[in-house]
Amino acid sequence: MAESITLSPPEHDKIGVIHCGVTREGFVSVAGETHDIADGDTVNIYRVKITVTRKGDEYTFTKEP
């Protein structure tokens, strides 16, 4: 079962032991890896199997099993 959290800037949390955060609008960090993300886009962090989806001010981080 996939785990997920939804954050807004500037929030940070963890999925298990993996740090996830929205530093500022359009900029996310997952396990030390940073990415720009536009509204409506999705970013895959393959190293830790986490997908980040942005919808406005909501950034959803989902970890696949």
Side-chain angles (χ1 to χ4, degrees):
M1 182 174 186
E3 296 178 66
S4 69
I5 54 174
T6 300
L7 304 173
S8 297
E11 293 181 325
H12 299 266
D13 203 347
K14 288 184 178 180
I15 296 178
V17 297
I18 301 170
H19 179 267
C20 303
V22 184
T23 306
R24 63 180 186 279
E25 185 177 335
F27 190 78
V28 296
S29 174
V30 177
E33 200 172 307
T34 58
H35 293 274
D36 290 315
I37 183 170
D39 191 13
D41 280 354
T42 298
V43 173
N44 293 303
I45 294 77
Y46 297 104
R47 181 172 54 92
V48 291
K49 297 181 183 175
I50 289 184
T51 301
V52 185
T53 304
R54 178 180 175 192
K55 291 181 183 170
D57 285 343
E58 292 186 340
Y59 299 74
T60 302
F61 298 75
T62 305
K63 178 163 178 45
E64 295 301 322

